[in-house]
Amino acid sequence: MTCGEIAKKPPITITPDKTVEEAAAIMAENRVGLLVIVERENPKKPIGVISERDIIRTIAKKAPLTTTVDKAGTMHNFVYVYADEPITVAAKKMKQFQVRHVVVLDRNGEVYGVISIRDLIGERQILETLARDWAPTIE
């Protein structure tokens, strides 16, 4: 099973000039925990992400809700996988980087989708794949 097969829905995106308040509203409206920040001129080109955690950290620092997402999110250094990679790659990266979402890209570097931890635990076939591929070998 590939990452692209799991990331079936189009990603919810936002441009870097939008505010934290706008990001929170978009997340609530779409019931997602992460938005992909994309270039204004090229909405397929991801440049970062903003998560629920980023919004909470921004508020905790007493930053105004008018702070733009490029200041509050993770820019250029976000965790991603490619659509043709096995789902185990996404799970390993989530664990390694302690994140609940990974961005899925096509091989041209364009945004394809997002996989959440909920996606991984929500389907029996994925759990079986992860258990099989991560099971320790008995000697």
Side-chain angles (χ1 to χ4, degrees):
M1 181 167 276
T2 67
C3 292
E5 291 174 298
I6 304 307
K8 298 172 192 154
K9 298 180 217 165
I12 308 299
T13 61
I14 193 166
T15 55
D17 59 316
K18 300 295 183 191
T19 66
V20 168
E21 184 174 22
E22 290 171 302
I26 292 168
M27 285 180 189
E29 180 181 320
N30 290 280
R31 302 184 67 195
V32 297
L34 181 111
L35 302 176
V36 180
I37 304 170
V38 294
E39 291 180 348
R40 284 184 62 102
E41 308 77 34
N42 182 359
K44 293 235 178 227
K45 177 69 175 160
I47 56 173
V49 295
I50 185 159
S51 68
E52 293 168 322
R53 288 179 179 176
D54 293 327
I55 291 173
I56 290 168
R57 275 193 284 272
T58 301
I59 292 168
K61 291 177 184 175
K62 308 275 191 247
L65 294 177
T66 55
T67 301
T68 55
V69 297
D70 62 336
K71 304 285 188 276
T74 301
M75 301 300 291
H76 307 291
N77 219 9
F78 59 93
V79 181
Y80 66 89
V81 294
Y82 290 107
D84 61 356
E85 291 184 303
I87 191 62
T88 52
V89 173
K92 287 176 184 176
K93 284 191 175 186
M94 284 181 185
K95 182 178 180 188
Q96 176 185 357
F97 295 103
Q98 299 180 352
V99 295
R100 295 182 286 184
H101 302 86
V102 293
V103 177
V104 181
L105 305 177
D106 66 18
R107 287 293 175 171
N108 294 321
E110 294 184 343
V111 66
Y112 181 91
V114 173
I115 297 174
S116 73
I117 191 74
R118 189 179 312 153
D119 295 328
L120 294 184
I121 64 173
E123 290 194 36
R124 181 184 178 126
Q125 182 180 1
I126 295 169
L127 290 174
E128 288 171 354
T129 299
L130 293 173
R132 182 184 63 245
D133 291 352
W134 278 358
T137 55
I138 301 172
E139 296 182 339

